[in-house]
Amino acid sequence: MTRNYWQAFFLIAILEFSVFLAGFWMLGDYEAKRFNVWPISEWLINYQGGFVRRGLMGEILRYFSDARGSIVLLNSLVLTFFYLYIVIFLAVYYFANIRQIGLLIIALLIPGGILHMSVGAIFYPRKEILFLIHFGILCLIYLMHDRFRVKKGRLSLDLFGITAVLGGGLLTLVHEAYLFMAYPITVLLFVNLHKANRTYYPLKLQLFFYVLLIPVLFGLCSAYRGDPQIAQRIWDSYTLIDRLVLAPAAPYTAAYATAGLGWTLQQHLSTIYGVFMTGTWIYWLFFAVANAFVLVYIAIQIEKKQVIEQGNSESNYFKNSPLPLQTIGAFIISSSMVMIASDYGRWIACATNLTLLFLFTVSHSSGLLNFDLGRWKLGNRLIPIFNWASGSVVLLILILSYELIFQMPECCISGGDLFMPYAKFLELYHSN
């Protein structure tokens, strides 16, 4: 009872801290520029210079903005997206019926996760937050189908397919990187749902249409990637107030992500070359491996609880389930942007959150197929490792230490950016 009390206390504290810190920062009486100018200028890209990749959201912002410009509206909108994602994340956990508060705490603390988003005002101001919201909604529909399949099974299947197709298509127009980030794991979830409902033919058609639609839209966006002239016309369409916030020294010259519209694939790949030349790739590898390890640990703990509830002995842990392996597979396929551009923190954070949603969703799903892990040599080696990890206190301490000490930057790395900024919070506390 005491242990459950402390877990509930820490859970509420983490959520409350995340919500209030993000709210104070985004809505407080500060300058209009609440987060990095690169993502701000990326949100503002619109169709005023003609159809161009990434322009859909900027066109919507332009339509609803007033004389104060679009950035003030963007600040509130981004915060709303973050709060919505928190609600969806918790709803997926709840309806997945996991009921392991300790694992939820670990999921919230993971670098790139909800707490770290709030602490650094990072990740959630990026367009990827829309990918997470959309995928989270799909996970909720998936879980609702599992719960109400007898009464409203076909309705929920159609809702899943329509939401995937329409949402995925629009998000590709918001940012074409959707193809490399949320598209693969959405296909995986779609396939899981289809395997459990093979007799429902419309779902197969919706899956087929989704699989084809996103690459086609990506090709369209690639064909209209923009150039310096289009970038300048788009920049000129921003209000002077917004341009002065973004580039006060040169408000009439396209800059930041807007100017980057004309970048070629070769220019994007050159940023990866810079990462390897500076040696910072080792830090990104550390965060990717460590986050993947934490995700697999969460999968192992969920699997262990299920095995116990089924009345199996410890020797049968993980023998007949692919959950830990599907987890690492989902993380890998959601990380393919690392091969294209160098904002590695963004890609790892998005892949981490997508995988957490996927893991929670399929952990109690009838669509997850069982198999005998012990049939393969690798499986025979993994089973005792999974058994050890499921009960290791030392491993749990290492994971919590990693989550509480390190903070993953969005892209560029410099010294103190690798660690949680506790000193800043102490300074603010003493200043009051």
Side-chain angles (χ1 to χ4, degrees):
M1 185 67 180
T2 303
R3 179 183 177 184
N4 291 336
Y5 170 82
W6 281 109
Q7 286 182 343
F9 171 80
F10 284 122
L11 174 62
I12 294 172
I14 291 168
L15 291 172
E16 184 177 355
F17 183 80
S18 300
V19 167
F20 282 104
L21 183 62
F24 287 148
W25 176 247
M26 297 301 292
L27 300 177
D29 188 17
Y30 314 113
E31 62 174 339
K33 187 173 59 181
R34 304 296 168 84
F35 50 97
N36 191 281
V37 290
W38 277 88
I40 293 175
S41 61
E42 186 175 77
W43 281 101
L44 297 182
I45 294 170
N46 55 46
Y47 294 144
Q48 296 305 301
F51 179 81
V52 70
R53 63 190 175 116
R54 309 182 188 180
L56 179 60
M57 199 64 207
E59 197 65 26
I60 295 172
L61 281 170
R62 178 182 170 83
Y63 180 82
F64 287 102
S65 61
D66 53 26
R68 297 176 300 168
S70 298
I71 294 179
V72 174
L73 173 62
L74 177 60
N75 290 335
S76 300
L77 194 62
V78 163
L79 180 64
T80 302
F81 289 153
F82 180 50
Y83 286 167
L84 179 58
Y85 173 61
I86 293 176
V87 171
I88 290 174
F89 184 89
L90 295 175
V92 170
Y93 167 83
Y94 175 80
F95 287 110
N97 199 33
I98 296 173
R99 304 295 187 270
Q100 293 172 266
I101 296 179
L103 292 185
L104 179 58
I105 291 173
I106 292 174
L108 293 171
L109 292 176
I110 193 169
I114 287 174
L115 176 68
H116 286 254
M117 289 184 189
S118 178
V119 167
I122 52 178
F123 303 123
Y124 74 83
R126 298 285 189 167
K127 287 183 175 180
E128 295 90 76
I129 192 67
L130 296 177
F131 301 171
L132 300 180
I133 290 171
H134 177 249
F135 186 71
I137 292 172
L138 290 176
C139 290
L140 286 175
I141 297 172
Y142 189 109
L143 291 167
M144 292 302 100
H145 171 74
D146 265 8
R147 178 167 292 195
F148 304 117
R149 63 168 58 242
V150 176
K151 294 182 179 179
K152 302 178 181 180
R154 292 190 174 184
L155 176 62
S156 57
L157 291 176
D158 287 335
L159 183 60
F160 182 96
I162 292 170
T163 304
V165 171
L166 292 181
L170 292 174
L171 288 174
T172 306
L173 299 178
V174 169
H175 199 304
E176 73 279 5
Y178 177 83
L179 175 72
F180 302 99
M181 301 172 77
Y183 171 73
I185 199 169
T186 303
V187 171
L188 182 59
L189 187 66
F190 217 140
V191 169
N192 269 348
L193 186 62
H194 172 255
K195 286 181 177 178
N197 300 273
R198 293 179 184 273
T199 58
Y200 190 58
Y201 188 71
L203 186 66
K204 182 184 293 186
L205 290 178
Q206 292 160 356
L207 171 59
F208 179 76
F209 190 67
Y210 176 80
V211 169
L212 288 182
L213 175 66
I214 306 306
V216 168
L217 289 176
F218 174 82
L220 181 66
C221 291
S222 298
Y224 292 89
R225 71 171 185 268
D227 55 42
Q229 291 73 33
I230 292 175
Q232 185 61 51
R233 289 201 294 271
I234 293 172
W235 181 268
D236 292 340
S237 72
Y238 303 161
T239 64
L240 182 59
I241 293 175
D242 288 337
R243 283 181 279 150
L244 286 170
V245 170
L246 291 171
Y252 298 101
T253 303
Y256 307 115
T258 306
L261 274 176
W263 278 25
T264 63
L265 177 61
Q266 186 176 8
Q267 286 174 292
H268 283 291
L269 294 177
S270 69
T271 63
I272 298 178
Y273 174 76
V275 170
F276 281 91
M277 288 299 294
T278 57
T280 54
W281 63 270
I282 191 68
Y283 299 109
W284 300 122
L285 181 62
F286 166 73
F287 281 113
V289 172
N291 273 25
F293 191 83
V294 175
L295 291 169
V296 171
Y297 176 83
I298 294 173
I300 288 172
Q301 294 301 325
I302 293 174
E303 195 69 72
K304 176 181 176 179
K305 182 172 181 286
Q306 290 180 350
V307 171
I308 292 175
E309 289 175 348
Q310 293 168 4
N312 294 321
S313 64
E314 291 190 15
S315 62
N316 287 326
Y317 283 175
F318 321 111
K319 189 175 185 297
N320 296 308
S321 176
L323 187 59
L325 297 183
Q326 267 212 339
T327 298
I328 194 63
F331 180 74
I332 291 172
I333 64 174
S334 302
S335 306
S336 53
M337 272 298 292
V338 301
M339 305 299 296
I340 299 172
S342 63
D343 288 359
Y344 288 135
R346 292 172 62 189
W347 320 144
I348 296 170
C350 186
T352 298
N353 284 277
L354 289 169
T355 305
L356 282 169
L357 292 169
F358 176 82
L359 168 59
F360 290 162
T361 302
V362 303
S363 61
H364 285 262
S365 169
S366 59
L368 190 63
L369 299 181
N370 291 333
F371 68 96
D372 187 357
L373 191 60
R375 289 169 54 190
W376 294 277
K377 287 185 178 180
L378 177 61
N380 282 321
R381 293 178 181 177
L382 287 175
I383 289 173
I385 295 175
F386 290 166
N387 280 324
W388 170 80
S390 68
S392 174
V393 177
V394 174
L395 184 58
L396 175 60
I397 293 173
L398 287 174
I399 288 173
L400 290 175
S401 299
Y402 163 69
E403 294 184 329
L404 294 173
I405 293 174
F406 292 98
Q407 176 172 275
M408 183 171 60
E410 282 189 333
C411 51
C412 305
I413 292 179
S414 61
D417 290 342
L418 296 172
F419 304 98
M420 288 284 279
Y422 294 116
K424 290 185 180 179
F425 295 121
L426 291 174
E427 184 179 334
L428 289 172
Y429 176 78
H430 289 300
S431 66
N432 293 325

